[in-house]
Every structure is written in structure tokens, then in C-alpha cells.
Amino acid sequence: MNIDKMIDMLLISLSKKHNIFYMEMRTYKGTKTYKNYNVKIDKDKKEFRSKKDLLVYLTNI
């Protein structure tokens, strides 16, 4: 299964019990692009640099 779909499914299932805010940020520096993933669940803010780390965090909630 695609990692994006897994993240979406977990966010949807968690949103039934928690207030969730999810944002994918892109930063451009010269010719390179960097991505960060911000998640706020209720009052807990986290920032991740990869989708794998985000997926591991969401599965442990």
C-alpha cells in the first residue's frame, strides 16, 4: 500500500477522537527542495522530515 494512503487513513481514523491539523511544507533553497510534515493532534505539535517517521508516530498513537 502507498505510504500517502496509509497516512491519510490513519489521520481520518484519528480525527474521529482528536482534533487534527496536518500540513506538508516545502522549502526551496537554490535548486533543492526540502519537505517537512507538521502534525498537531489536540495540543501536541510535532514536525517530521520524512513520511516514514510520520507514519511510525501515527501508528503509535
Side-chain angles (χ1 to χ4, degrees), residues 21-55:
F21 175 78
Y22 171 71
M23 182 172 56
E24 179 179 320
M25 293 179 21
R26 292 183 185 193
T27 305
Y28 300 99
K29 200 176 231 184
T31 59
K32 294 185 179 184
T33 303
Y34 300 98
K35 290 185 180 181
N36 289 338
Y37 306 96
N38 293 332
V39 176
K40 181 179 177 186
I41 299 176
D42 294 327
K43 293 185 178 183
D44 185 28
K45 284 185 178 181
K46 298 282 184 177
E47 183 173 335
F48 301 96
R49 295 191 185 259
S50 70
K51 287 185 180 181
K52 290 179 184 178
D53 294 338
L54 173 62
L55 185 62

Side-chain angles (χ1 to χ4, degrees), residues 2 5 14 20 25 28 42:
N2 189 358
K5 288 183 182 180
L14 287 171
I20 294 181
M25 293 179 21
Y28 300 99
D42 294 327

